Amino acid sequence: MAAMDTDELSVVLPSSNASGLSLSLHPLPILNISEHLTRLKLQKNTNSPFVIGALLGTQTGREVDIIDHAFIEGRRDQYKQVFPSLEFIGWYTVTPQPTAKHVALQEQFTKYCSTPLLLILQPSGSFNTVTDVNAQTLPLKAFEPTIELRDRKTRNVFIEVPYNVAYCLEAHLQTQRAAVKMLHDRILVLVKYVKDVVAGSAKKDHDTLRALSALVASLPATENKEFREEFDTEYEDVQLTAFLSSLTKSTNILNDLVDKHNLMSGGRDDRMGAGPRRRGGRQATLMGDWH
């Protein structure tokens, strides 16, 4: 009976226990986690698939930035080559609240990080916009592992961490665009030099030509069928993310227009003495379509 009582205990400490962690959540992992859930729903044909993944970010003292998500084993080294400043800082899953199962999983991630964070995406049915820790309207919660002393025994539990969404994606993309533009300009200079050498209007520099030949030989072959399929998939994912972002923005604008229309129509009906029953039913229909 005692073991059963222990299992039924919540693994999340009350909100009165504050965490001193400063957490910044970037928009990109939010999109990636949502995409991961949607993809598994379609692949497994279930509304409640088991979703789990890793989080990459930076940590300075008690300040943590969650930048992106990745696989643990297969792609960790690849991500370190592309993003050497990012470290494994935690993991994510989809659940209403952390349970004892998540505590057991948490212990497995300690081999990559001594205190991995847990970020959960709450299903729509269990999402509560009013919390004591986060005043966010996103169905996301972050937790930090800690140890609770109860009845002279210790157990691993979670404590909720407040977070803020860092809207710096545009600045990051601008930096990446500038770097790509610089690389493109330098490639154009090399292409022009080779064309001029072939046309005889530029002097041959054998050291430069050998360096160019070695550079071209070191590039991976792009005619591979698997590479082309993977590239097309990544390209389609990026385009879909951009489309969803534009669609969300358009929906928000349309919601604002509907709210203003309902407000003005309601005031006009009040002045004209129209019955509120019909207007109320129409308003409920409009709002239900978009919220």
Side-chain angles (χ1 to χ4, degrees):
M1 181 66 68
M4 184 179 296
D5 293 340
T6 303
D7 292 339
E8 292 178 354
L9 289 176
S10 173
V11 297
V12 179
L13 294 181
S15 57
S16 57
N17 297 271
S19 171
L21 197 65
S22 176
L23 184 62
S24 295
L25 180 62
H26 291 245
L28 190 56
I30 300 176
L31 294 175
N32 287 335
I33 295 172
S34 178
E35 183 272 337
H36 190 182
L37 173 62
T38 303
R39 174 159 40 87
L40 287 182
K41 282 184 177 181
L42 296 176
Q43 291 176 351
K44 299 182 179 297
N45 195 23
T46 175
N47 291 327
S48 302
F50 179 65
V51 180
I52 189 171
L55 296 171
L56 294 182
T58 60
Q59 180 170 359
T60 305
R62 297 290 288 172
E63 296 183 0
V64 179
D65 287 345
I66 298 178
I67 308 295
D68 204 349
H69 78 112
F71 295 108
I72 298 292
E73 295 287 354
R75 295 192 178 181
R76 184 180 59 168
D77 295 337
Q78 297 177 9
Y79 272 83
K80 287 296 296 180
Q81 294 178 4
V82 181
F83 307 104
S85 62
L86 302 184
E87 300 287 344
F88 171 79
I89 60 172
W91 59 292
Y92 68 84
T93 188
V94 177
T95 182
Q97 289 292 336
T99 62
K101 177 182 69 174
H102 300 101
V103 173
L105 288 172
Q106 177 81 6
E107 295 176 356
Q108 299 183 27
F109 286 105
T110 55
K111 63 181 293 187
Y112 306 103
C113 177
S114 58
T115 56
L117 298 174
L118 170 60
L119 182 67
I120 67 171
L121 173 65
Q122 297 176 306
S124 57
S126 60
F127 173 48
N128 185 5
T129 58
V130 180
T131 62
D132 296 331
V133 177
N134 286 305
Q136 299 285 347
T137 58
L138 296 174
L140 294 165
K141 283 190 176 183
F143 297 90
E144 180 184 14
T146 186
I147 297 177
E148 181 189 30
L149 179 61
R150 177 186 290 267
D151 298 331
R152 297 183 179 181
K153 295 182 180 180
T154 60
R155 69 182 186 121
N156 296 324
V157 292
F158 293 104
I159 181 173
E160 189 171 353
V161 180
Y163 66 87
N164 63 82
V165 180
Y167 295 98
C168 62
L169 184 60
E170 182 177 356
H172 175 71
L173 293 178
Q174 290 291 345
T175 302
Q176 296 296 322
R177 179 181 181 276
V180 172
K181 184 178 183 301
M182 182 182 298
L183 176 62
H184 181 261
D185 292 341
R186 293 182 178 181
I187 293 176
L188 291 180
V189 172
L190 295 176
V191 171
K192 183 178 183 304
Y193 170 73
V194 173
K195 288 182 177 180
D196 290 343
V197 169
V198 173
S201 59
K203 183 180 179 181
K204 287 185 179 180
D205 187 330
H206 294 285
D207 292 337
T208 301
L209 294 176
R210 279 194 294 268
L212 284 174
S213 177
L215 178 62
V216 172
S218 66
L219 296 176
T222 58
E223 297 304 323
N224 184 277
K225 180 180 178 181
E226 295 181 356
F227 172 83
R228 174 56 57 183
E229 292 178 353
E230 183 176 356
F231 175 82
D232 291 340
T233 301
E234 293 290 340
Y235 178 78
E236 291 171 359
D237 290 344
V238 172
Q239 294 297 319
L240 180 60
T241 301
F243 173 74
L244 290 176
S245 176
S246 176
L247 183 61
T248 301
K249 184 177 179 181
S250 300
T251 303
N252 290 333
I253 295 175
L254 183 57
N255 272 334
D256 292 339
L257 292 175
V258 171
D259 292 340
K260 293 177 181 179
H261 171 75
N262 291 336
L263 181 61
M264 296 182 65
S265 299
R268 182 180 60 187
D269 289 344
D270 291 342
R271 291 191 301 269
M272 296 177 61
R277 186 173 184 179
R278 182 180 179 182
R279 175 53 55 190
R282 178 60 177 170
Q283 181 177 0
T285 301
L286 288 173
M287 297 302 288
D289 290 342
W290 297 103
H291 287 278

